[in-house]
Amino acid sequence: MRKVINYTSKDLAKKIFVILFTGLTGAVGLNYFLIPANVFSAGMTGIAQIAEHLLSATGLSIDTGILIFLLNVPVFILGFIKLGKSAMILSFANVISMSFFTTLVPVGQVTDNVLMNAITGGVLLGIGAGFSLKFGFTTGGLDIVSLLLSKTTGRTVGNYMMLLNGVIVVVAGFFFAWESALYTIITIFTMSTVVDYVHTSHQKMTAFISTSKSAEMCAALSNELLRGLTVVPARGGFSSSEREVIMIVFTRYELYTLKQIVADIDPNSFTNIVATDSVVGSFLTQDEQNRLKKSQIDNG
């Protein structure tokens, strides 16, 4: 049975890289695509954009990056209570990174095509938000609310981001122009889609593995993935050889690990992987898996 290893220092280095990467991609998405085209982003970033426009109309100029930081401060109080200190410290660092790079990167224009600006800006912001969620923290603001709702209901983070960001579309249309609101919908939809593509822990799949080494396969799968398994006796239709089929439900994030295990244990096996719409019953979340892995490490 494989030993579970704790890569604390390596994980921390990855998270620091993701924080810097998120800040840079977010700043480029805002300053080079969304802001020049008067298209608004999702979450607190979009609210900061709207606030910056409204304040400018009164003669008060505050940089969007600074507003992103100020608007996120109250939200972190909720995060500290509900999501824990560790996740919120990293999320707060993420917001600081986003604010810093947004202030540092100058506003420019790559294209005057508003549609391309809306899509590209949404992709860049979605990549950063998705990787942040994948590594256990957020980009702040409405991401925290979306993550709390996702943990409670099991639905995807992207769906809640789409729902909660509807207010930004309405405000953008009411105070500015409905054309800007329509392009904002495209940006939010693109961002939400990219977030769900990158942050795959809620996208479930089912694998049917036909193998002659079911005992070894089950041991490796249950040790690495911490998922329940169902073993069904089977017989080859062509060869008439006795085999067994292992059924396992897992997340898309775990797909690579599953393929590696199957190839390592039985290269001659046959695996059918299908998308799973929903699961009724016990299915460990990532937090529950992490606690179980930590318990296994502590118990040797």
Side-chain angles (χ1 to χ4, degrees):
M1 185 173 290
R2 302 183 183 188
K3 184 179 180 181
V4 179
I5 304 174
N6 187 10
Y7 298 101
T8 304
S9 299
K10 186 177 179 181
D11 287 343
L12 181 60
K14 287 181 179 179
K15 290 176 180 180
I16 292 174
F17 174 79
V18 169
I19 288 171
L20 297 175
F21 177 75
T22 299
L24 182 59
T25 55
V28 172
L30 279 173
N31 291 350
Y32 277 90
F33 295 98
L34 299 185
I35 290 177
N38 288 321
V39 177
F40 299 96
S41 176
M44 285 298 181
T45 304
I47 296 174
Q49 285 180 266
I50 293 173
E52 193 273 335
H53 276 269
L54 294 176
L55 289 172
S56 295
T58 65
L60 181 61
S61 179
I62 301 179
D63 190 272
T64 305
I66 296 175
L67 286 172
I68 291 173
F69 176 79
L70 294 176
L71 290 171
N72 271 286
V73 171
V75 179
F76 281 104
I77 297 175
L78 175 65
F80 271 109
I81 297 173
K82 297 293 183 180
L83 295 178
K85 182 178 180 181
S86 177
M88 285 302 97
I89 289 176
L90 291 170
S91 298
F92 194 65
N94 216 13
V95 171
I96 293 175
S97 175
M98 180 76 170
S99 301
F100 172 76
F101 280 107
T102 302
T103 305
L104 181 67
V105 174
V107 175
Q109 189 170 18
V110 177
T111 175
D112 58 1
N113 187 309
V114 183
L115 179 60
M116 291 302 298
N117 282 321
I119 294 174
T120 306
V123 169
L124 289 172
L125 288 165
I127 289 173
F131 274 107
S132 297
L133 291 169
K134 194 170 186 175
F135 280 85
F137 51 97
T138 74
T139 54
L142 296 183
D143 287 0
I144 294 175
V145 180
S146 298
L147 187 58
L148 285 169
L149 292 172
S150 179
K151 285 177 174 291
T152 302
T153 65
R155 297 185 181 276
T156 68
V157 176
N159 284 341
Y160 282 115
M161 288 176 66
M162 177 76 77
L163 179 64
L164 294 173
N165 282 300
V167 66
I168 296 177
V169 175
V170 175
V171 173
F174 184 79
F175 283 102
F176 302 99
W178 287 109
E179 184 177 3
S180 294
L182 294 175
Y183 282 117
T184 299
I185 292 175
I186 295 174
T187 297
I188 293 174
F189 176 79
T190 304
M191 181 177 174
S192 300
T193 301
V194 173
V195 166
D196 277 345
Y197 184 82
V198 176
H199 178 242
T200 55
S201 66
H202 291 288
Q203 298 178 23
K204 299 176 180 63
M205 311 183 81
T206 301
F208 299 90
I209 308 167
S210 177
T211 177
S212 58
K213 300 180 180 180
S214 62
E216 297 94 322
M217 190 77 73
C218 286
L221 289 170
S222 61
N223 183 56
E224 292 289 338
L225 300 182
L226 300 180
R227 297 295 182 196
L229 303 163
T230 299
V231 180
V232 181
R235 180 170 59 86
F238 178 75
S239 64
S240 296
S241 60
E242 297 297 328
R243 304 174 68 85
E244 289 182 316
V245 174
I246 301 171
M247 186 187 78
I248 176 173
V249 181
F250 58 102
T251 67
R252 185 177 172 183
Y253 179 65
E254 299 164 322
L255 177 59
Y256 177 80
T257 302
L258 181 136
K259 287 182 176 180
Q260 291 296 106
I261 293 172
V262 171
D264 182 38
I265 301 296
D266 186 5
N268 297 318
S269 63
F270 179 83
T271 303
N272 179 30
I273 299 173
V274 297
T276 300
D277 181 69
S278 61
V279 175
V280 178
S282 177
F283 188 83
L284 294 179
T285 64
Q286 188 173 359
D287 289 341
E288 291 170 336
Q289 284 183 314
N290 291 337
R291 285 195 293 268
L292 185 56
K293 287 179 181 178
K294 185 177 184 302
S295 175
Q296 290 177 342
I297 294 172
D298 293 341
N299 294 332

